Amino acid sequence: MTKLTDQSLLKKASYWQGEWHDADNCFDVTNPANGDVIAKVANSSADDAEKAVAAAHRAFNAWAARPAAERAELLLRWQQLLLEHQDDLALLLTLEQGKPLAEAKGEIAYGAGYLQWFAEEAKRVYGDTIPAKTDDQRIIVIKQPVGVVAAVTPWNFPNAMIARKAAAALAAGCTFVVKPAQLTPLSALAMAELADRAGIPAGVFNVITSTDAKAIGEVLTEDKRVAKFSFTGSTKIGKQLAKQCAGTVKRVSLELGGNAPFIVFDDADLDAAIDGLMASKFRNAGQTCVCTNRILVQQKVLAAFTEKLLKAIGKLKLGDGTADNVDIGPLINHDACDKVDKLLNEALALGAKLQCGGKRQAADSLFYLPTLITGVNNDMAVAQQEIFGPVAAIQSFDTDAEAIALANATDSGLAAYFYSRDIGRVWRVAEALQYGMVGINEGMVSNPAAPFGGVKQSGYGREGSKYGLADYLDIKYLCLGGLAD
Ligand code: NAP
């Protein structure tokens, strides 16, 4: 870790009440590219999580009472510090998560973008006046922060998944406690260090690192002082945590898994579709919730599209994310590689054809070769589960109705993509897809001004945009009476 310009961004303790807290024991954070231990981080307990919640609760009234413009100023200072330290933050992220440095830098800028956008939006939390039934009353609606927010986040975007929750929560006037994934706590702790330097008051932003997700999760979902719980991660864990929140009737937001279709119609610009697909399929080695999982290509352009895709995949460079010109880093761990192997082997056994890749670089390596399979059908597990790896799986279809039916035949509903130049088809397909986000002639849709989120079992709630801020606000109706002369 000698390469960090600012070594004090490497924090190893949990952070609450504006202070760093060691624990009785530590856990290792390893670099997936080579297995090296990067740091030993505090393994905090459920008691510690309770202390972090108490700190957030103590800080709430004063933070909520600050003028929005002051909260905005602090968020902007935090954003600027993230950008000033972009190189160090990106290096930490690549070391603990594996994605190429250029992508890690992009993630830091993307996370900082949420801080900026919500700092601006904090000043636009407007209420309403509503015509009353009688002339001696007035109806007024004000919006207030929900209270303490607790969050649990995944390893695939160790900075941005926290930034987009914390930015909205703090902008609204909420205080915040997050448990990052145990595989990637260093990015979260570096964010806490910069929040501190930005002058975010003690108790407003808190981080609990631990390997005991269950125990920490119980505190965050069951403590009465937590008003809202926001989760990004797998559908399985999200369902369980939503149940835990029911006991105290918390507001809940769930950003869960996806199974994105990428539809290529016969009138598409095939080169643009290849560019969009490469970004949406192979970014972060295929480990994103909005990654293309199923490629659906209209029969007439199947051969031409497959040939172009094979060529594009052939140009991808696999390697350690800190090396130059690398496009794809390692998968996060051996379980991830085993899952990809299993899905791939089952598809091949059922008749899919391997066009390239299909295995790890070496037997015990986490580097998985960029892979293309064709002849897939929607019943195969590779089409029904998140692959979360660099495997492009092509199916074909004949009619628009068939493409829509295939695309919607899943319990997930996060992101979908399609390429067409026919305006009528564009509207019909966009409206028929049962997804929270649809990229039309676009392979990357996420952006702080837009509402990110899913339908069906991909979750509920939105992050980014005015809808993302609304998720952290309560509506209060004031009835002002006795106004008659
Ligand atoms: P995961 O296993 O659900 O873990 C996510 C977080 O939940 C981690 O912090 C994990 O802690 C924690 N966790 C696990 N079990 C828990 C429990 N019993 N109680 C409380 N917390 C618990 O998911 P993942 O494998 O890290 O992430 C990949 C998944 O996230 C994919 O399905 C992906 O699609 C989804 N995702 C969705 C979005 C979105 O916006 N929709 C964005 C990114 C990722 P530990 O690290 O300690 O296990």
Side-chain angles (χ1 to χ4, degrees):
M1 193 60 72
T2 49
K3 287 196 252 167
L4 287 186
T5 308
D6 182 346
Q7 203 61 29
S8 58
L9 289 174
L10 176 60
K11 293 290 178 201
K12 300 169 188 173
S14 284
Y15 177 79
W16 68 82
Q17 195 58 47
E19 287 164 1
W20 299 96
H21 300 267
D22 289 324
D24 293 342
N25 58 71
C26 293
F27 63 94
D28 290 346
V29 180
T30 56
N31 180 344
N34 53 25
D36 288 354
V37 174
I38 313 161
K40 291 183 178 296
V41 168
N43 199 358
S44 299
S45 64
D47 272 358
D48 295 333
E50 197 277 326
K51 286 177 191 153
V53 169
H57 190 247
R58 275 193 300 276
F60 173 69
N61 284 340
W63 181 247
R66 279 179 98 134
E70 280 183 33
R71 291 199 302 268
E73 216 167 282
L74 290 169
L75 286 174
L76 286 175
R77 217 178 290 160
W78 194 13
Q79 175 234 354
Q80 280 152 14
L81 286 171
L82 250 68
L83 293 179
E84 275 169 33
H85 295 279
Q86 187 176 10
D87 287 347
D88 275 351
L89 295 173
L91 180 57
L92 268 178
L93 204 162
T94 293
L95 290 173
E96 65 178 349
Q97 200 274 340
K99 67 180 65 175
L101 258 184
E103 275 188 39
K105 277 188 200 170
E107 179 177 340
I108 303 301
Y110 170 68
Y114 280 90
L115 292 172
Q116 181 186 25
W117 199 88
F118 281 110
E120 291 160 354
E121 196 66 3
K123 294 176 262 179
R124 290 188 272 276
V125 176
Y126 303 134
D128 294 303
T129 58
I130 297 174
K133 215 169 150 190
T134 56
D135 65 357
D136 66 338
Q137 283 189 343
R138 297 292 181 273
I139 296 173
I140 303 146
V141 175
I142 61 170
K143 294 185 184 158
Q144 294 181 306
V146 295
V148 174
V149 172
V152 172
T153 53
W155 49 265
N156 58 350
F157 288 91
N159 174 288
M161 294 303 100
I162 296 173
R164 71 184 189 188
K165 294 182 193 303
L170 269 56
C174 300
T175 54
F176 190 82
V177 181
V178 61
K179 187 211 85 65
Q182 61 178 285
L183 295 169
T184 57
L186 301 178
S187 296
L189 295 174
M191 285 178 78
E193 167 66 15
L194 294 177
D196 191 48
R197 289 188 203 173
I200 305 276
V204 171
F205 179 79
N206 309 277
V207 182
I208 285 285
T209 54
S210 179
T211 56
D212 197 348
K214 186 171 179 299
I216 307 294
E218 278 168 8
V219 173
L220 300 185
T221 52
E222 290 169 12
D223 193 303
K224 273 199 290 197
R225 292 167 297 185
V226 174
K228 170 168 172 120
F229 181 72
S230 178
F231 176 74
T232 298
S234 63
T235 302
K236 178 173 166 236
I237 300 294
K239 286 180 183 176
Q240 186 183 317
L241 295 175
K243 275 190 204 156
Q244 287 172 213
C245 286
T248 46
V249 196
K250 291 189 198 324
R251 297 265 295 262
V252 178
S253 291
L254 299 174
E255 298 282 351
L256 308 178
N259 180 4
F262 188 105
I263 310 171
V264 183
F265 287 103
D266 55 12
D267 65 315
D269 175 338
L270 291 192
D271 292 320
I274 292 288
D275 289 347
L277 178 64
M278 293 305 285
S280 119
K281 175 68 253 181
F282 292 102
R283 192 163 55 105
N284 203 9
Q287 303 171 111
T288 88
C289 54
V290 290
C291 261
T292 290
N293 211 53
R294 295 172 292 151
I295 306 166
L296 311 175
V297 186
Q298 199 152 17
Q299 197 65 43
K300 199 170 137 199
V301 291
L302 181 63
F305 184 81
T306 306
E307 194 188 320
K308 282 175 187 283
L309 183 55
L310 198 53
K311 267 197 202 136
I313 293 175
K315 291 184 190 149
L316 291 174
K317 189 173 162 202
L318 187 63
D320 185 322
T322 58
D324 287 340
N325 302 321
V326 162
D327 302 300
I328 300 195
L331 293 188
I332 191 71
N333 57 23
H334 284 289
D335 286 350
C337 288
D338 292 345
K339 180 178 177 194
V340 174
D341 272 340
K342 188 164 172 273
L343 292 175
L344 201 57
N345 291 335
E346 190 221 68
L348 296 176
L350 290 173
K353 295 266 173 301
L354 184 65
Q355 304 293 342
C356 68
K359 57 178 196 255
R360 300 164 209 223
Q361 212 168 32
D364 60 347
S365 152
L366 296 183
F367 291 95
Y368 210 96
L369 297 177
T371 298
L372 176 63
I373 53 174
T374 51
V376 171
N377 73 55
N378 222 36
D379 297 329
M380 294 177 179
V382 77
Q384 285 302 321
Q385 296 178 25
E386 278 184 300
I387 305 170
F388 249 56
V391 176
I394 295 188
Q395 312 181 35
S396 64
F397 65 91
D398 288 310
T399 65
D400 291 22
E402 193 188 343
I404 291 164
L406 283 170
N408 288 341
T410 166
D411 289 334
S412 302
L414 193 58
Y417 310 88
F418 71 92
Y419 277 67
S420 167
R421 287 180 285 195
D422 174 328
I423 189 70
R425 181 181 250 169
V426 161
W427 275 107
R428 283 193 302 277
V429 175
E431 288 177 357
L433 288 172
Q434 296 161 355
Y435 287 84
M437 297 173 280
V438 180
I440 306 163
N441 300 320
E442 271 300 335
M444 305 255 280
V445 295
S446 189
N447 145 15
F452 189 103
V455 298
K456 293 163 83 175
Q457 294 188 28
S458 288
Y460 41 78
R462 290 294 179 269
E463 292 186 336
S465 82
K466 64 177 181 179
Y467 305 104
L469 193 60
D471 270 9
Y472 293 91
L473 293 166
D474 278 331
I475 287 171
K476 186 183 279 178
Y477 153 46
L478 309 177
C479 182
L480 181 59
L483 297 178
D485 279 344

